[in-house]
Amino acid sequence: MITIKGKGVVEGVAFGKLSFFQKMQQQVERHKVQDTSAELKRFEEAKKQAMEQLQILYQKALSEVGEENAMIFEIHQMMLEDLDYCESITNIVCSQQVNAEYAVAKTADNFSAMFSSMDDPYLQARAADVKDISEKLIHILMGNTEQSYSFTEPCIIAADDLAPSETVQLDKTKVLAFVTRKGSSNSHTAILARTMNIPAIIGVGDQLKPDFEGKDIIVDGETGNVYINPDTATFDTMRLKKMELDRENSLLAELKGQPSITLDGQTIHLYANIGSVTDTVAALNYDAEGIGLFRSEFLYLENQDYPTEEEQFQAYRTVAENMAGKKVIIRTLDIGADKNIDYFQLPKEDNPAMGYRAIRICLTRPELFHTQLRALYRASAFGKIAIMFPMITSVEEVKQIKEIAAQVRNELKEAGVPFDPSVELGIMIETPAAAVISDQLAKEVDFFSVGTNDLTQYTLAIDRQNPKLDRFYQPHHPAILRLIRMAADNAHKNGIWIGICGELGADLDMTETFLAMGIDELSVSPSSVLKLRQKIRQTDVSKVIPKG
């Protein structure tokens, strides 16, 4: 038996034969052309065909993994239309009088190298996206037949890496798991794998050898271990682990419809985080009691221009109606930092995480904020909507927000447009400043929601997207827990409720501590809801000694 180790990005255990995914080799040659106009026409036609193929992929991903995860194929379409990308190809064809295939390949190399050299892990991951769309263009230009994504029997897929377009096209009835030499946990492929719930391990490097083709293997997505030709003892151990995981999932399903209440009678609201309208399906399927965080910025990220009031209204209304009277907390636009949009024309910043982002953009672009608030209030007539504001650092910001919200309500009232005048207004506690002055902020709003990802980043002065700092990123740090407890105490002293919507909310090691703090609501990814409900129902808060 041989054991190799990588990084697990999707939990689960899979047994099967290893099959290497062979990408179609495309040897691009450089040759002179006499008619550059004809060559550019070939490029434009190939680009049009690629756009059509990407739209088909988008629709397939939309139905299988939801709008948020399908968005990568819209991003790929945008990249195909990117002016710099297209101009580079055009310039190489015309200035060097070369074939379009070579110009695309050369541009792909240049852009990929540029992204790979950047410090931001998210931008580094975009290097693979440039390669993906460029290979598609070259594939079309060379007139190659379509890549096969089917397999004759169920197997575990091995590859150097898998592009998002390849992952979504795999016949999932035949894919038991996948193992890649490269890849990052920030890549779209990893995100898609999680949503598709296929056990996955990345970053095994050169340990994954070609002569493992056809071997019997076991993948443990929890530990990141891959067992080649497992011995009897390992096989039996992993078989029992898989049986236990299957049993746990069956038991979790029995918790649907059960209250989220502790052994000593403490009730907590258990909500879901979503990024798109279609994600409400997963929230309902996992029996979330409401939506604790609807990331409205995805309405902006998936558009080529600012979404109109009507477009936003329809999205918010649909979510409210789908949740059928359950609370839906919608966070206002949180653009900036790692989420940038070209048409916003945001200035380049040395430290964007601490720069022009979120509520700072809304308060300095009041027409943008005004439009979103009108859409939100209009949608409140169709369900139980609450509005939450991110990146708050002062009481003055909250007072300014409330004034704008009051103006919107007055406008709608005068125009005879129906809305719910009792919509709750809350803020995110995601900066140390907000936690420290939470006694003052609590007098201005109806609720708090703690964004633990940014609160950890700002409290520990750590860029949470920098993999080199993983060992220093400690979300259980006593300072963070003290800030959360301070905010919880101040919320309750002032008669408002407090929730947690960051990743820490799904950390089962912290559930007892949050219950002991008196946290009223936890909002997590839909797939974490039932696991968290189970933990809550097994806890006696009176016997808990809080951390921190």
Side-chain angles (χ1 to χ4, degrees):
M1 180 180 76
I2 300 172
T3 302
I4 63 177
K5 189 170 182 62
K7 182 175 183 180
V9 292
V10 183
E11 291 186 3
V13 175
F15 298 77
K17 291 189 180 297
L18 192 67
S19 179
F20 276 83
F21 177 76
Q22 301 295 338
K23 297 190 180 187
M24 184 174 292
Q25 297 299 311
Q26 301 185 121
Q27 189 66 37
V28 178
E29 296 182 355
R30 180 183 189 275
H31 59 81
K32 285 280 187 177
V33 296
Q34 298 300 319
D35 190 345
T36 55
S37 296
E39 208 62 22
L40 292 178
K41 184 178 179 181
R42 285 184 65 229
F43 165 61
E44 290 297 331
E45 290 173 349
K47 188 170 74 171
K48 180 181 178 181
Q49 190 174 338
M51 294 286 280
E52 292 171 353
Q53 291 180 6
L54 286 168
Q55 183 59 30
I56 293 171
L57 287 177
Y58 171 78
Q59 294 299 333
K60 179 177 174 61
L62 188 64
S63 63
E64 295 181 355
V65 296
E67 186 171 0
E68 181 178 352
N69 294 307
M71 191 173 65
I72 179 59
F73 301 111
E74 287 193 330
I75 293 173
H76 279 194
Q77 290 179 70
M78 291 170 60
M79 291 174 79
L80 268 179
E81 295 285 6
D82 180 75
L83 189 60
D84 291 333
Y85 179 78
C86 293
E87 282 185 348
S88 173
I89 294 169
T90 300
N91 180 62
I92 292 172
V93 169
C94 294
S95 64
Q96 301 182 33
Q97 292 184 297
V98 293
N99 53 315
E101 293 91 334
Y102 174 80
V104 172
K106 186 65 177 174
T107 296
D109 289 342
N110 293 342
F111 275 59
S112 180
M114 178 180 66
F115 280 122
S116 296
S117 67
M118 293 179 176
D119 294 329
D120 188 332
Y122 176 83
L123 292 176
Q124 288 176 355
R126 300 293 71 74
D129 294 330
V130 172
K131 284 286 191 182
D132 195 17
I133 62 169
S134 299
E135 286 175 6
K136 185 174 290 294
L137 276 174
I138 294 169
H139 181 88
I140 294 168
L141 285 164
M142 296 180 71
N144 289 331
T145 55
E146 284 295 317
Q147 170 80 55
S148 175
Y149 295 94
S150 61
F151 301 89
T152 56
E153 60 182 5
C155 57
I156 293 169
I157 305 303
D160 279 344
D161 198 1
L162 285 168
S165 59
E166 293 165 341
T167 307
V168 78
Q169 291 182 86
L170 292 173
D171 180 355
K172 288 177 289 300
T173 63
K174 301 282 178 59
V175 179
L176 303 172
F178 71 74
V179 182
T180 62
R181 292 190 178 98
K182 303 175 184 176
S184 97
S185 55
N186 289 316
S187 70
H188 288 288
T189 302
I191 295 168
L192 284 171
R194 292 187 192 103
T195 306
M196 291 156 59
N197 202 28
I198 299 175
I201 296 176
I202 62 172
V204 297
D206 292 337
Q207 301 175 89
L208 186 60
K209 301 184 184 303
D211 57 7
F212 292 159
E213 171 75 31
K215 301 289 186 184
D216 289 319
I217 76 165
I218 302 175
V219 170
D220 184 349
E222 179 189 16
T223 63
N225 288 337
V226 180
Y227 304 101
I228 299 21
N229 286 335
D231 55 33
T232 302
T234 301
F235 183 90
D236 289 343
T237 298
M238 298 309 299
R239 182 175 58 84
L240 289 173
K241 183 172 185 176
K242 187 177 189 307
M243 289 173 61
E244 180 63 21
L245 288 172
D246 292 342
R247 189 183 69 83
E248 288 176 5
N249 289 331
S250 296
L251 290 174
L252 286 174
E254 295 176 6
L255 290 174
K256 292 182 180 181
Q258 298 297 314
S260 301
I261 185 169
T262 65
L263 293 172
D264 55 331
Q266 181 173 324
T267 298
I268 189 165
H269 296 293
L270 197 46
Y271 293 173
N273 297 335
I274 65 171
S276 70
V277 174
T278 55
D279 285 347
T280 56
V281 175
L284 292 169
N285 185 52
Y286 284 101
D287 200 37
E289 298 163 27
I291 301 299
L293 170 63
F294 178 16
R295 302 179 180 93
S296 69
E297 57 269 18
F298 283 97
L299 297 175
Y300 296 78
L301 285 164
E302 66 191 26
N303 270 291
Q304 303 294 317
D305 203 349
Y306 298 99
T308 65
E309 177 185 324
E310 189 63 26
E311 288 172 334
Q312 293 188 62
F313 162 67
Q314 291 297 340
Y316 305 145
R317 171 181 174 171
T318 300
V319 171
E321 289 178 335
N322 287 351
M323 295 305 294
K326 295 179 179 179
K327 184 175 289 187
V328 176
I329 302 173
I330 302 176
R331 181 176 68 188
T332 57
L333 178 64
D334 189 9
I335 289 297
D338 61 324
K339 290 173 286 189
N340 208 339
I341 302 174
D342 287 343
Y343 61 81
F344 270 70
Q345 297 182 332
L346 299 178
K348 180 175 173 55
E349 297 177 295
D350 291 333
N351 196 346
M354 293 188 176
Y356 187 50
R357 60 171 295 195
I359 202 63
R360 297 168 180 175
I361 293 176
C362 291
L363 292 179
T364 53
R365 297 189 184 182
E367 70 291 344
L368 186 71
F369 196 32
H370 191 271
T371 298
Q372 182 170 32
L373 288 176
R374 279 182 60 91
L376 285 165
Y377 272 109
R378 286 175 58 196
S380 70
F382 299 90
K384 193 174 183 181
I385 282 180
I387 306 174
M388 180 165 66
F389 306 98
M391 197 63 183
I392 298 299
T393 59
S394 71
V395 173
E396 289 71 27
E397 289 169 340
V398 177
K399 288 183 175 179
Q400 191 177 348
I401 289 166
K402 291 170 68 177
E403 288 177 4
I404 297 172
Q407 292 171 7
V408 169
R409 290 195 299 270
N410 288 335
E411 285 178 11
L412 294 175
K413 185 176 181 180
E414 290 174 5
V417 177
F419 68 93
D420 179 3
S422 64
V423 167
E424 285 185 310
L425 300 181
I427 62 168
M428 293 191 70
I429 303 294
E430 52 187 344
T431 65
V436 171
I437 63 168
S438 55
D439 56 332
Q440 300 173 41
L441 293 169
K443 295 177 172 61
E444 300 292 334
V445 297
D446 299 306
F447 67 92
F448 289 158
S449 188
V450 182
T452 56
N453 302 345
D454 271 337
L455 185 61
T456 301
Q457 172 172 245
Y458 295 134
T459 303
L460 301 184
I462 284 177
D463 179 358
R464 60 188 174 95
Q465 296 199 64
N466 187 339
K468 295 179 182 178
L469 301 178
D470 283 352
R471 58 179 291 208
F472 301 107
Y473 188 83
Q474 302 175 38
H476 295 188
H477 194 290
I480 296 160
L481 300 183
R482 289 183 187 183
L483 289 174
I484 296 173
R485 182 181 293 110
M486 181 188 300
D489 289 345
N490 286 327
H492 295 144
K493 286 177 185 176
N494 287 278
I496 68 171
W497 63 268
I498 180 170
I500 292 176
C501 64
E503 291 296 319
L504 204 56
D507 187 337
L508 299 181
D509 290 335
M510 292 304 303
T511 305
E512 293 181 349
T513 292
F514 293 146
L515 289 167
M517 286 182 186
I519 297 297
D520 303 292
E521 174 251 18
L522 292 170
S523 189
V524 297
S525 63
S527 61
S528 297
V529 168
L530 294 176
K531 293 178 184 177
L532 191 52
R533 179 172 295 159
Q534 181 183 55
K535 179 68 174 181
I536 291 167
R537 290 171 61 87
Q538 294 172 345
T539 300
D540 184 340
V541 183
S542 66
K543 298 179 181 179
V544 173
I545 300 175
K547 296 180 180 180

